[in-house]
Amino acid sequence: MSRSVALPPRVVRALPALRRAIAQFREAGETIALVPTMGALHEGHLTLIRQARKRARRVIVSIFVNPAQFAPNEDFASYPRSLTNDLAMLEGIDAVWAPAVETMYPQGFATQIVPQGPAKAGLEDTFRPYFFNGVATVVAKLLIQCTPDVALFGEKDFQQLKVVTRLARDLDLPVKIIGVPIVRERDGLAMSSRNAYLSAAERTTAPTLYRVLKDCATRLAADEQIARVLDEGGRAIEQAGFALDYLELRHTESLGKVESADAGPLRLLVAAKLGRTRLIDNVAVRKR
Ligand code: AMP
């Protein structure tokens, strides 16, 4: 029996080589999709990539653990890095853009994008004040470097998706930003590279976050009082052993606070630490 052999992805580490690859695609009249990642790939990333394949002839996956989006006390040094493994998962991808930190931020680098609007919604930004400046700057660079027609981002990082969408619009970047629904483990835990940090006991507890989110979403959709649902949901998360950063009901588009479940479409967003692992998740709140 013959098996077709998928080609290993071409790993590009320098800008001139990236530009040459992109020029070849463009000369052939091909469209390009970009999937930005920090590596340690899992099924969530692969889902983004499958969506990308449907939307463009060529797919570029970037792998770059961006130091600019980590605060000094965060996990930049310990963030899982597994390029060999990642590349094995990327067979058939047209190009993997994996610049070194010095390539992305050469000596003398002195420019930063400081997003406002959704980046100041009082969610992730409250707990990670450096985060969106770092994300916006690196995503702008990735979009300019790769000149994709479409770029795909997960709803897992819901506020990030809003920030990136606004960034592309505000800077007139000729790219369509596409959000992809959250991919979950069988027990409901949102897939994340950081799940690798969880101990066996923590891994058993971790799906509680999604269970509480779903329960709260059902109650909110049934018009229970918002403050009470969020208060009880927050306590359930803490009783399970998490340190809660936030559990917030927001408008899906603006991420603004809402007073009533009729202000929809609505999103319920959570961030909480389990031991040393910070988990985030979110669900839509849909009124019947
Ligand atoms: P990361 O490597 O964690 O920076 O993620 C790269 C991209 O994959 C981001 O757009 C994330 O939102 C997305 N992503 C990560 N985990 C998931 C997931 N479980 N479901 C959907 N998208 C995800």
Side-chain angles (χ1 to χ4, degrees):
M1 194 177 75
S2 74
R3 291 176 75 200
S4 63
V5 181
L7 291 175
R10 172 173 174 196
V11 182
V12 183
R13 296 190 177 278
L15 261 177
L18 179 70
R19 294 209 168 110
R20 278 196 301 275
I22 289 168
Q24 276 175 6
F25 300 155
R26 293 302 189 193
E27 275 157 25
E30 296 166 341
T31 52
I32 299 173
L34 173 68
V35 180
T37 81
M38 297 207 299
L41 301 181
H42 51 67
E43 190 54 36
H45 298 113
L46 298 185
T47 301
L48 263 63
I49 291 168
R50 279 194 290 272
Q51 290 293 320
R53 282 190 189 282
K54 288 188 193 156
R55 292 171 182 271
R57 170 72 183 81
R58 298 288 183 177
V59 175
I60 302 176
V61 175
S62 65
I63 297 182
F64 182 65
V65 185
N66 176 32
Q69 69 192 61
F70 290 79
N73 63 331
E74 292 180 351
D75 57 343
F76 175 69
S78 60
Y79 194 86
R81 290 165 173 85
S82 54
L83 189 61
T84 311
N85 213 30
D86 290 346
L87 295 180
M89 294 167 81
L90 293 176
E91 282 186 348
I93 290 296
D94 300 292
V96 174
W97 172 225
V101 171
E102 305 74 49
T103 303
M104 193 60 96
Y105 303 115
Q107 203 168 16
F109 185 86
T111 302
Q112 203 183 38
I113 292 187
V114 181
Q116 307 292 316
K120 301 287 185 197
L123 297 163
E124 286 299 285
D125 48 303
T126 304
F127 296 89
R128 306 187 71 190
Y130 296 75
F131 182 63
F132 287 120
N133 293 355
V135 166
T137 304
V138 83
V139 169
K141 283 182 64 100
L142 289 167
L143 293 173
I144 291 166
Q145 290 163 344
C146 298
T147 63
D149 301 280
V150 296
L152 295 95
F153 292 83
E155 289 184 350
K156 160 90 188 334
D157 300 274
F158 201 77
Q159 189 179 7
Q160 170 177 281
L161 171 62
K162 300 295 160 187
V163 170
V164 168
T165 303
R166 187 74 71 90
L167 166 96
R169 192 187 83 182
D170 288 352
L171 298 184
D172 303 317
L173 299 176
V175 61
K176 186 170 166 48
I177 304 296
I178 295 166
V180 177
I182 300 177
V183 180
R184 300 181 179 281
E185 304 284 357
R186 293 170 74 94
D187 58 13
L189 175 64
M191 288 191 183
S192 165
S193 306
R194 289 191 169 95
N195 292 350
Y197 298 152
L198 296 169
S199 70
E202 289 166 348
R203 179 62 189 81
T204 312
T205 304
T208 306
L209 211 52
Y210 179 55
R211 277 201 290 275
V212 173
L213 272 185
K214 272 200 313 187
D215 177 56
C216 290
T218 306
R219 294 172 60 186
L220 291 164
D223 270 335
E224 275 197 52
Q225 203 203 355
I226 295 173
R228 191 174 69 216
V229 173
L230 296 184
D231 190 49
E232 289 176 7
R235 268 188 280 140
I237 288 167
E238 288 180 331
Q239 274 161 15
F242 291 84
L244 182 69
D245 278 354
Y246 59 81
L247 173 66
E248 295 256 4
L249 182 66
R250 295 300 181 95
H251 191 276
T252 302
E253 293 311 322
S254 69
L255 295 184
K257 292 183 195 283
V258 292
E259 308 268 299
S260 138
D262 292 320
L266 303 178
R267 203 90 190 175
L268 184 62
L269 304 104
V270 71
K273 277 211 190 87
L274 190 54
R276 67 181 185 122
T277 310
R278 188 166 182 278
L279 302 175
I280 60 172
D281 202 347
N282 64 85
V283 296
V285 176
R286 288 200 183 85
K287 290 200 71 168
R288 263 162 266 275

